[in-house]
Amino acid sequence: MSPGKFITLEGVDGAGKSTHLGFVADWLRAQSRDVVVTREPGGTPLGETLRELLLHRDMDPDTELLLMFAARQQHLAELIRPALSRGVWVVSDRFTDASYAYQCGGRGIPAERVAALEAWVQRGFAPDLTLLFDVPPDVAEARRAAARTADRFEREADRFFSRVRHAYLDRARSEPARIRVLDARQGIDALQVEIAALLQELG
Ligand code: TMP
């Protein structure tokens, strides 16, 4: 049996990526794939407990980074790696690109620290495809304002999200084959046509 593929969705808070998670999963299921949908931080009982702390408790930026990777290690060990080896495709709402974008871009932690944790926890493992939902800061801001009560990240200032966005776009420029940038200002239907084409390319 061939292993499953790992697809991640990324973007600043308010980019609208979560709207498209279900579409990705349904599209793959229509191609007779077994699919599991998950998220970070989270995805396992321990990861979801860490998520509560990460989203609601104030903490030092390095503690935040370490907890993101503690949750990620558990996610890989308990869910992602076993599913892929059973031939199941895994679709995750965020993964390590978010640590580069938020903890490095947003909080200013040096990228070498994230790279060291990534090497330790992932041992060369990376997503097969990353969909980066990109929107200008004012659009993301308006969408965040319309959303439910804000968590610790969503309460950050606009300039924080501007740094996060630029860090995401820098990563996309350095890994253009894996990270595909989508203009998330488009309507849902137009975006889904683009997403379907990228999934098709993945085979
Ligand atoms: P969500 O709102 O998309 O569910 O993500 C929760 C928050 O966690 C979001 O504001 C981004 C943040 N985050 C990081 O800062 N670093 C990470 O590595 C991950 C996975 C998420």
Side-chain angles (χ1 to χ4, degrees):
M1 183 204 303
S2 56
K5 295 208 188 241
F6 184 40
I7 300 171
T8 60
L9 278 67
E10 299 281 0
V12 298
D13 294 87
K17 73 186 154 45
S18 304
T19 314
H20 300 285
L21 258 191
F23 173 78
V24 171
D26 290 345
W27 192 93
L28 293 170
R29 288 187 183 115
Q31 315 292 307
S32 309
R33 306 281 183 202
D34 271 344
V35 181
V36 62
V37 176
T38 185
R39 69 173 177 181
E40 288 209 350
T44 65
L46 177 64
E48 291 294 325
T49 302
L50 293 172
R51 180 187 176 90
E52 277 306 301
L53 297 174
L54 280 159
L55 266 47
H56 302 294
R57 290 280 288 271
D58 286 336
M59 62 184 78
D60 172 82
D62 281 301
T63 307
E64 180 180 283
L65 174 64
L66 290 163
L67 288 181
M68 289 291 177
F69 270 92
R72 184 160 297 135
Q73 166 62 27
Q74 192 63 29
H75 198 199
L76 281 161
E78 189 176 327
L79 187 150
I80 300 174
R81 291 190 202 271
L84 295 175
S85 61
R86 286 197 314 273
V88 175
W89 287 46
V90 178
V91 183
S92 185
D93 191 342
R94 300 194 188 281
F95 193 62
T96 301
D97 294 305
S99 300
Y100 282 100
Y102 282 78
Q103 279 66 53
C104 299
R107 306 264 191 242
I109 292 180
E112 301 77 65
R113 287 191 203 162
V114 178
L117 291 167
E118 181 183 25
W120 178 6
V121 165
Q122 290 168 228
R123 292 174 269 134
F125 174 83
D128 296 288
L129 172 68
T130 296
L131 304 174
L132 173 54
F133 293 84
D134 181 59
V135 282
D138 55 322
V139 177
E141 221 283 300
R143 289 185 187 168
R144 281 196 301 277
R148 52 188 169 63
T149 351
D151 63 38
R152 205 163 61 80
F153 291 95
E154 290 161 341
R155 285 196 301 271
E156 286 290 343
D158 290 356
R159 60 182 184 283
F160 175 88
F161 289 106
S162 173
R163 294 196 300 272
V164 170
R165 180 192 187 203
H166 285 105
Y168 267 133
L169 291 172
D170 283 348
R171 284 191 66 72
R173 270 189 290 277
S174 67
E175 286 190 65
R178 172 175 70 84
I179 306 179
R180 310 301 290 264
V181 184
L182 298 158
D183 180 349
R185 281 173 307 185
Q186 297 176 85
I188 290 181
D189 292 349
L191 262 172
Q192 292 185 342
V193 169
E194 269 193 55
I195 295 169
L198 292 170
L199 295 174
Q200 189 89 51
E201 260 180 49
L202 200 56

